[in-house]
Amino acid sequence: MAAKGGTTPATYSPCQTTGKNKPPLFKEDWIRPDARGFHQCRPAFFRTGAVNAASGSAYAEFGNTKVIVSVFGPRESKKAMMYSDSGRLNCNVSYTTFATPVRGQGSDHKEYSSMLHKALEGAIILESFPKTTVDVFALVLESSGSDLPVVISCASLALADAGILMYDLVASVSVSCLGKNLIIDPISEEENCQDGSIMITCMPSRYEITQLTVTGEWSTPKINEGMQLCLDACAKLAKIMRTCLKESASDAQDDSS
Amino acid sequence: MVGLSLGEQHFIQGGIAQDLRCDGRKRLTYRPIYVETGIIPQANGSARVRIGATDVIASVKAELGKPSFMQPDKGKVLIHIDCSSTAEPAFEGRGGEELSSELSTALQRCLLGAKSGAGAGIDRSSLVVVEGKICWDLYIDGLVVSSDGNLLDALSAAIKAALSNTGIPSVKVTAGASSDEQPEVDISDEEFLQFDTSGVPVIVTLTKIGRHYIVDATPEEESQMNSAVSISINRKGHICGITKRGGAGLDPSVVLDMVSVAKYVSEQLMNKLDSEIASAEAEDGS
């Protein structure tokens, strides 16, 4: 197709699809690139037991964002570490080289590992495994927006699958602000031109926020609205995660009987 | 790491519950803030901020660079924080790396705004010299010289002071008007443009201990925290960024309550800081 015209360049550049096409924000009838409603999340899919070698693992797919998380442990902490009566949590988030439109762009997200750690540590009962470490390794197979919220939700499911004691499942959702509109669960195109974002990580049954980040300029009523939107979505997401866990548990029971 | 006996822990917690902290402050009172500007001659702007024994230095360097392909109409701002091992032996080698990156991320979130550049404390469009060709790259470096709690607030104050001290040389485009050539520029040695810092927010960190929250926590108090929320607020009273530290969960209503408290505190802090910066500038100029 590209070779058709004499004026159009014959070379293929993947940048063109990601950078320039800003959606016309100020039109009233703006619709999202994937034709969702502003307050409609992408369909979420979860499956536990994705990796056999791990103590627990989960795979999550939100639209085109695909992540896999495996949990190892609790296993003995490294010898160099000092004694502690509570367990340790070690998190790492990495991207495949082909996750992003431009190869190897995933290394831009170095802070994700520590953010995943902070989001999870409040939910795990660390006292239940003294002297040991739980490793959480997340791999983003395909990045298409809202990567960190998907990683966090998937990681909590993997922890539950590994049988690590937790106060509650952790669900995470982000909201972007584009012009006057608040849109939930943004995709990459929307994230690239957002005017602000809120990411909330919470334990829905306890109604507690474990992690919260806000960027961009927000007025108090707007932040209120955004937080409420996130919290509602988190509650719904946790329900989906719970059904996934129940299904895998009943499957395991069927197999053993 | 601060080691406290059980008695000391109860003393701190009890004091905070009664609105009287160990150093005689109330819950929402800052320690005195001292600002010095123009302390690094090689930088375009610099400032040193002391809060209690916390001592931080921020420097701003401007270099000519090329705007990124995605945003040809905006300059670049890079923030990096370094935790010196002079502050604490634990920062030696790679020890300070985790804290450094945590502080840098929080400051980037609060000062640079969202991807589109909206809500940024630093107006990046003002850094452009020739659209798509030449812009100023602003390197903001923070150094923690001594750490006595509340690093993030101190760093944000230091950066605000350093930016208001920053003079960017005025630039004349001399040649290269054709579209595909890199234009030549002439950097003036005498004329400097003052940087507009009215939009730069301050960060207020509220540390939750027990059922109450306090500002400007000392390391002893920080060791007792359940969680801390750093809220950056600008002159207009708008929120420019929130970062949460500490693992414990927070009720959403508490977060909103913290936001309104931070708004109230930030006004006083900003006025205090502005007058400190003004007097420091006056002293620097004389």
Side-chain angles (χ1 to χ4, degrees):
Chain A
M1 197 182 108
K4 181 182 66 178
T7 48
T8 50
T11 50
Y12 167 72
S13 161
C15 290
Q16 283 173 354
T17 55
T18 55
K20 294 259 168 151
N21 52 346
K22 271 201 166 186
L25 298 180
F26 304 109
K27 269 189 198 160
E28 281 297 306
D29 55 345
W30 172 64
I31 40 168
R32 297 176 70 171
D34 49 1
R36 271 185 292 155
F38 286 167
H39 297 175
Q40 193 184 0
C41 294
R42 290 174 290 183
F45 172 80
F46 290 102
R47 179 62 52 86
T48 56
V51 179
N52 281 328
S55 326
S57 61
Y59 168 81
E61 197 177 310
F62 282 52
N64 283 329
T65 303
K66 295 171 183 127
V67 303
I68 196 161
V69 179
S70 37
V71 172
F72 294 91
R75 53 190 179 189
E76 193 185 350
S77 293
K78 282 196 192 107
K79 286 281 188 295
M81 297 234 189
M82 294 226 285
Y83 168 81
S84 93
D85 355 319
S86 65
R88 286 194 175 87
L89 181 66
N90 174 35
C91 296
N92 186 43
V93 180
S94 52
Y95 277 67
T96 57
T97 48
F98 49 82
T100 43
V102 179
R103 188 181 171 275
Q105 234 179 12
S107 54
D108 298 347
H109 308 287
K110 278 182 189 133
E111 76 278 11
Y112 278 13
S113 298
S114 73
M115 285 169 83
L116 175 63
H117 181 272
K118 278 184 225 152
L120 293 175
E121 73 177 341
I124 299 173
I125 308 175
L126 290 168
E127 292 79 21
S128 63
F129 45 96
K131 295 197 279 184
T132 51
T133 306
V134 167
D135 292 305
V136 178
F137 299 130
L139 179 67
V140 179
L141 297 172
E142 206 173 315
S143 154
S144 172
S146 309
D147 296 343
L148 188 62
V150 179
V151 164
I152 291 170
S153 309
C154 187
S156 90
L157 202 64
L159 282 165
D161 185 49
I164 309 288
L165 289 185
M166 287 195 287
Y167 294 109
D168 190 6
L169 280 174
V170 179
S172 179
V173 172
S174 63
V175 159
S176 276
C177 176
L178 278 120
K180 280 181 184 158
N181 303 313
L182 287 179
I183 54 165
I184 203 161
D185 198 16
I187 58 170
S188 307
E189 282 94 335
E190 292 161 341
E191 273 183 339
N192 283 336
C193 51
Q194 67 190 8
D195 297 318
S197 76
I198 301 182
M199 189 199 80
I200 281 186
T201 304
C202 76
M203 298 189 270
S205 334
R206 284 167 67 99
Y207 203 55
E208 267 183 17
I209 295 175
T210 62
Q211 185 55 259
L212 162 76
T213 58
V214 176
T215 57
E217 195 172 352
W218 296 77
S219 63
T220 315
K222 196 115 197 210
I223 227 166
N224 247 323
E225 192 190 338
M227 275 176 68
Q228 206 49 52
L229 212 60
C230 277
L231 288 166
D232 289 346
C234 280
K236 281 182 192 146
L237 186 61
K239 258 185 211 155
I240 299 174
M241 290 158 67
R242 220 167 274 273
T243 30
C244 164
L245 272 182
K246 275 184 194 155
E247 267 169 25
S248 66
S250 65
D251 283 354
Q253 250 170 14
D254 289 347
D255 290 345
S256 61
S257 64
Chain B
M1 213 49 222
V2 190
L4 290 180
S5 70
L6 210 57
E8 286 172 305
Q9 289 177 17
H10 285 309
F11 189 76
I12 288 175
Q13 284 163 11
I16 286 164
Q18 288 174 37
D19 203 7
L20 182 65
R21 289 154 69 178
C22 298
D23 42 12
R25 281 184 290 156
K26 284 177 174 294
R27 283 198 285 262
L28 299 181
T29 324
Y30 269 84
R31 289 173 283 187
I33 298 175
Y34 303 100
V35 181
E36 282 171 66
T37 53
I39 54 159
I40 301 169
Q42 286 99 327
N44 294 72
S46 60
R48 173 185 178 198
V49 166
R50 282 179 296 147
I51 304 179
T54 295
D55 195 336
V56 296
I57 292 173
S59 83
V60 180
K61 278 216 178 212
E63 279 172 22
L64 281 178
K66 209 166 180 275
S68 75
F69 171 73
M70 302 277 263
Q71 291 176 320
D73 57 340
K74 288 194 172 73
K76 285 177 281 188
V77 181
L78 293 118
I79 301 178
H80 178 78
I81 305 301
D82 188 25
C83 292
S84 156
S85 51
T86 55
E88 218 165 294
F91 292 161
E92 205 243 309
R94 298 176 72 95
E97 221 163 73
E98 198 181 329
L99 183 66
S100 301
S101 72
E102 193 182 316
L103 291 170
S104 320
T105 318
L107 286 166
Q108 278 161 8
R109 192 173 292 140
C110 294
L111 291 172
L112 304 188
K115 285 245 174 69
S116 72
I122 302 164
D123 183 15
R124 288 192 291 141
S125 343
S126 67
L127 296 171
V128 169
V129 180
V130 181
E131 188 173 322
K133 296 239 160 54
I134 302 176
C135 68
W136 285 106
D137 291 347
L138 226 50
Y139 293 92
I140 302 178
D141 290 287
L143 175 69
V144 177
V145 182
S146 157
S147 145
D148 188 35
N150 205 22
L151 285 177
L152 198 56
D153 294 18
L155 282 167
S156 85
I159 289 174
K160 193 177 162 75
L163 282 172
S164 62
N165 179 242
T166 300
I168 294 175
S170 61
V171 172
K172 275 201 196 88
V173 182
T174 48
S178 66
S179 60
D180 45 334
E181 259 174 65
Q182 190 71 10
E184 273 176 38
V185 290
D186 186 23
I187 303 170
S188 157
D189 293 333
E190 283 133 26
E191 278 177 65
F192 289 96
L193 294 170
Q194 208 61 36
F195 206 76
D196 177 28
T197 53
S198 57
V200 179
V202 289
I203 298 180
V204 175
T205 303
L206 292 167
T207 310
K208 188 163 180 275
I209 297 173
R211 288 175 51 217
H212 302 275
Y213 27 83
I214 55 169
V215 297
D216 194 16
T218 61
E220 288 79 21
E221 287 163 337
E222 274 176 0
S223 73
Q224 297 305 305
M225 75 171 188
N226 310 102
S227 53
V229 178
S230 300
I231 302 162
S232 101
I233 294 177
N234 65 9
R235 263 264 172 247
K236 281 183 268 176
H238 286 177
I239 293 132
C240 301
I242 300 182
T243 313
K244 183 178 172 293
R245 283 181 297 154
L250 279 178
D251 195 272
S253 62
V254 174
V255 174
L256 291 173
D257 198 31
M258 280 177 158
V259 168
S260 63
V261 170
K263 228 184 224 181
Y264 164 74
V265 174
S266 74
E267 256 173 60
Q268 299 171 340
L269 177 65
M270 206 150 354
N271 289 336
K272 170 90 180 105
L273 207 58
D274 280 348
S275 67
E276 278 289 327
I277 291 170
S279 65
E281 289 278 339
E283 213 163 281
D284 187 33
S286 66

